[in-house]
């Protein structure tokens, strides 16, 4: 007997016949294309971050998105992280070691310490003379006028600390100048910020942006030289400034005790950073703490505005990287007092002699002290003794320990080599700078001058124009360009 098929059986379909079908092909391809565009956009963004943004813009991006620091392609430093060396056979036949016995200046005279002591304690301290201005007061909170010097108990134990020699200066064991307004630097703005802090002592009310407009019209400029800071004060304010090389801890103390704002230039190793040049405004010192107190545009102004403690030995060890250069800001009615404190330093040539003699003594003590040799070269270059300066610079670079940024800030080597006809060496050092920091107008200037010395006028003009594009206020470059055109 044949039975009819069950209706349910008749309706059965092959296994899987009711499964949902996959996504449409256009949707799959859409996801693939979107993912591809995201990847391309990501890597394009990284490329733009490293190749289109300025260093300052990169910093702002990293500040808002810290993970971007991972993708920052840092410029390679010169091999070994130090200045390159040159062929010392071009030094005019001078053996650098012979310079250790070369008279720095035949007219050098030793000060009569018995009669020339400056009694700072009996000299009336000046009042802070306000400067007229039509601009609003800066937003920096005024510092307390009675901040106490930290006590001996706060100093810590440092048995090797430098103790002031009061042979030439009768100074108190501590002194603090008050009335400074600290300015925290904006990007690369250490120089303008620090000179603004120093000027605030006299009631100056313009801010660091105002100083920057004169000193660093190019935001990526890596350096403001001491001469530029001094010229800014002398030309844009109603007080005065000067700078000298070859200072001492004791001289800094005497200037502070005399009521003068003092700025020093040092080689600093900030945490997470390589060696860099840096200005500090000194507002106080205290022998009990064995140090100065600084208003630092990067590190801050200390607890309750008392300043950042910089021990004498610590400060001097890095101050010598810049030939112990210092800047003093003063009003016209303080000039006689300043002359009395500075003594031989008031005369710029005598200050250079002092600096050279100090460097020569340090090189004699350690013939492998690259900073001593560089300081000796810087002093002699400033004195116009270019052959000796070139030999000293040859020795300094051959030791192989000077930091690779050294010639971002100091230009005596360029000046000495240029004036002894060593144009190829000038170009080599300028290229070393510009390969890692293409915004250095001074390197363009000196390379342009060297090209001109070689007779390559078109290359010289191009470099001098580039220097002026970065800093239209660069008068030396403008003068050289005018003479070439």
């Amino acid at each position: 007997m044949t039975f009819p098929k069950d209706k349910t059986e008749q309706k059965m379909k092959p296994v899987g016949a009711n499964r949902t079908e996959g996504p449409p092909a256009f949707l799959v391809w859409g996801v693939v294309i979107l993912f591809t565009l995201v990847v391309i956009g990501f890597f394009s963004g990284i490329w733009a971050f490293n190749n289109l943004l300025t260093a300052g813009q990169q910093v702002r991006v990293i500040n808002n998105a810290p993970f971007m620091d991972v993708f920052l392609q840092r410029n390679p430093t010169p091999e070994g992280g130090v200045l390159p060396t040159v062929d010392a056979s071009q030094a005019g036949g001078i053996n650098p070691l012979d310079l250790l016995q070369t008279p720095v200046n035949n007219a050098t005279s030793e000060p009569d310490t018995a009669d020339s002591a400056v009694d700072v304690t009996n000299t009336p301290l000046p009042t802070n003379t306000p400067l007229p201005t039509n601009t609003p007061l800066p937003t920096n909170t005024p510092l307390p006028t009675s901040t106490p010097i930290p006590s001996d108990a706060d100093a810590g134990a440092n048995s090797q600390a430098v103790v002031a020699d009061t042979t030439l200066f009768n100074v108190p064991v501590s002194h603090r100048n008050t009335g400074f307004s600290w300015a925290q630097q904006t990007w690369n703005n250490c120089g303008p910020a620090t000179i603004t802090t120093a000027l605030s002592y006299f009631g100056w009310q313009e801010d660091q942006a105002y100083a920057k407009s004169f000193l660093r019209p190019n935001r990526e400029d890596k350096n403001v030289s001491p001469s530029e800071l001094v010229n800014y004060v002398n030309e844009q304010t109603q007080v005065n400034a000067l700078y000298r090389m070859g200072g001492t801890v004791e001289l800094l103390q005497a200037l502070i005790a005399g009521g003068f704002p003092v700025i020093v230039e040092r080689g600093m190793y900030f945490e997470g950073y390589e060696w860099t040049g840096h200005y500090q405004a000194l507002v106080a010192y205290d022998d009990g703490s064995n140090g100065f107190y600084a208003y630092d545009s990067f590190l801050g102004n200390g607890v309750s505005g008392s300043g950042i403690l910089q021990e004498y030995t610590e400060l001097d060890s890095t101050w010598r990287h810049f030939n112990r250069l210092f800047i003093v800001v003063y009003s016209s009615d303080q000039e006689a007092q300043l002359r009395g404190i500075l003594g031989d330093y008031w005369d710029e040539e005598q200050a250079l002699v002092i600096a050279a003699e100090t460097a020569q003594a340090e090189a004699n003590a350690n013939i492998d002290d690259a900073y001593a040799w560089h300081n000796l070269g810087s002093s002699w270059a400033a004195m116009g003794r270019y052959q000796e300066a070139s030999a000293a610079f040859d020795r300094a670079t051959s030791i192989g320990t000077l930091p690779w940024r050294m010639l971002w800030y100091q230009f005596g080597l360029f000046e000495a080599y240029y004036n002894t006809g060593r144009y190829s060496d000038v170009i080599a050092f300028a290229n070393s700078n510009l390969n890692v920091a293409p915004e250095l107008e001074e390197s363009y200037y000196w390379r342009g001058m060297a090209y001109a010395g070689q007779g390559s006028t078109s290359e010289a003009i191009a470099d001098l124009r580039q220097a002026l594009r970065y800093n239209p206020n660069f008068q030396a470059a403008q003068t050289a360009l005018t003479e070439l055109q």
Side-chain angles (χ1 to χ4, degrees):
M1 175 179 258
T2 304
F3 294 95
K5 293 182 178 180
D6 185 82
K7 293 182 179 181
T8 302
E9 182 182 349
Q10 292 177 348
K11 295 179 180 179
M12 288 180 63
K13 295 181 179 180
V15 177
N18 288 328
R19 289 182 181 174
T20 304
E21 295 184 2
F26 77 88
L27 183 59
V28 174
W29 281 108
V31 171
V32 171
I33 292 172
L34 179 62
F35 178 78
T36 303
L37 291 175
V38 169
V39 172
I40 293 174
F42 174 79
F43 284 103
S44 297
I46 298 300
W47 181 89
F49 173 68
N50 282 292
N51 295 279
L52 299 182
L53 299 186
T54 65
Q57 291 168 335
Q58 289 172 340
V59 168
R60 289 200 296 274
V61 170
I62 292 171
N63 287 341
N64 289 285
F67 69 89
M68 289 298 293
D69 185 59
V70 175
F71 304 105
L72 179 61
Q73 297 175 1
R74 292 173 170 82
N75 291 329
T77 62
E79 185 177 355
V82 296
L83 285 181
T85 59
V86 296
D87 182 3
S89 65
Q90 300 184 59
I94 297 177
N95 182 342
L97 296 182
D98 291 341
L99 298 175
L100 297 177
Q101 306 304 323
T102 300
V104 170
N105 188 325
N106 293 332
T108 300
S109 59
E110 296 296 328
D112 183 355
T113 59
D115 299 325
S116 61
V118 178
D119 188 354
V120 177
T121 60
N122 293 327
T123 305
L125 295 181
T127 57
N128 299 352
T129 306
L131 295 176
T133 177
N134 295 323
T135 59
L137 286 172
T139 57
N140 297 331
T141 303
L143 299 177
T145 58
S146 58
T147 305
I149 294 286
S151 65
D152 292 351
D154 299 325
N158 184 359
S159 59
Q160 302 301 317
V162 174
V163 177
D165 178 2
T166 56
T167 303
L168 296 178
F169 306 104
N170 296 324
V171 298
V173 296
S174 66
H175 183 80
R176 174 174 296 277
N177 294 320
T178 59
F180 292 93
S181 293
W182 172 66
Q184 182 172 14
Q185 69 181 75
T186 54
W187 172 250
N188 271 351
N189 216 42
C190 166
T194 305
I195 200 66
T196 298
T197 292
L199 286 168
S200 71
Y201 179 74
F202 297 97
W204 181 248
Q205 297 179 20
E206 300 288 2
D207 61 12
Q208 62 176 305
Y210 181 84
K212 176 186 175 295
S213 67
F214 292 93
L215 297 167
R216 291 182 57 247
N218 168 33
R219 189 174 185 275
E220 300 304 316
D221 188 359
K222 300 295 189 295
N223 171 62
V224 176
S225 67
S227 60
E228 290 176 313
L229 293 176
V230 166
N231 289 342
Y232 167 72
V233 174
N234 291 334
E235 296 171 6
Q236 302 298 325
T237 79
Q238 293 187 2
V239 292
N240 309 295
L242 57 79
Y243 78 93
R244 298 288 186 265
M245 290 185 277
T248 66
V249 167
E250 296 76 34
L251 178 59
L252 295 180
Q253 290 178 317
L255 291 168
I256 293 170
F260 294 96
V262 181
I263 294 173
V264 294
E265 188 170 20
R266 303 171 60 187
M268 303 287 281
Y269 293 91
F270 298 115
E271 184 177 355
Y273 293 83
E274 296 183 71
W275 182 97
T276 188
H278 189 60
Y279 291 107
Q280 287 183 325
L282 305 182
V283 301
Y285 71 88
D286 179 23
D287 285 348
S289 298
N290 292 309
F292 295 99
Y293 287 85
Y295 272 23
D296 189 297
S297 63
F298 186 80
L299 297 176
N301 62 346
V303 179
S304 300
S306 61
I308 304 292
L309 177 63
Q310 307 290 293
E311 293 185 353
Y312 296 142
T313 48
E314 175 199 356
L315 182 136
D316 189 64
S317 67
T318 54
W319 186 28
R320 66 190 295 269
H321 294 182
F322 283 83
N323 209 5
R324 297 182 174 90
L325 184 144
F326 63 94
I327 298 172
V328 185
V329 183
Y330 61 100
S331 60
S332 297
D333 60 358
Q334 291 179 288
E335 182 173 314
Q337 181 191 11
L338 179 60
R339 289 175 68 109
I341 294 175
L342 289 179
D344 285 343
Y345 286 95
W346 179 261
D347 182 86
E348 189 172 359
E349 291 298 318
Q350 279 300 304
L352 290 172
V353 170
I354 295 170
E357 290 177 337
T358 300
Q360 190 180 54
E362 291 179 337
N364 267 298
N366 178 8
I367 62 172
D368 291 325
D369 185 341
Y371 289 111
W373 286 103
H374 190 272
N375 290 341
L376 185 58
S378 296
S379 300
W380 267 333
M383 294 163 66
R385 294 177 61 170
Y386 298 120
Q387 290 290 351
E388 294 97 330
S390 294
F393 285 127
D394 288 339
R395 175 65 183 171
T397 57
S398 69
I399 293 171
T401 57
L402 291 178
W404 61 276
R405 287 192 178 115
M406 195 76 166
L407 301 185
W408 288 18
Y409 311 102
Q410 303 186 65
F411 315 112
L413 180 147
F414 289 119
E415 182 180 358
Y417 285 173
Y418 170 78
N419 282 284
T420 52
R422 296 173 58 175
Y423 304 130
S424 61
D425 288 334
V426 173
I427 293 170
F429 277 108
N431 286 339
S432 177
N433 276 347
L434 294 172
N435 286 340
V436 293
E439 308 88 3
L440 298 171
E441 72 260 22
E442 296 90 353
S443 291
Y444 283 109
Y445 169 75
W446 283 111
R447 191 173 71 175
M449 295 295 288
Y451 279 142
Q454 291 180 334
S456 302
T457 304
S458 59
E459 289 87 347
I461 289 175
D463 269 356
L464 292 171
R465 284 176 174 169
Q466 186 71 348
L468 288 167
R469 272 192 285 271
Y470 281 122
N471 187 355
N473 301 326
F474 197 168
Q475 188 57 50
Q478 183 61 66
T479 300
L481 182 62
T482 302
E483 292 175 352
L484 282 175
Q485 290 178 326

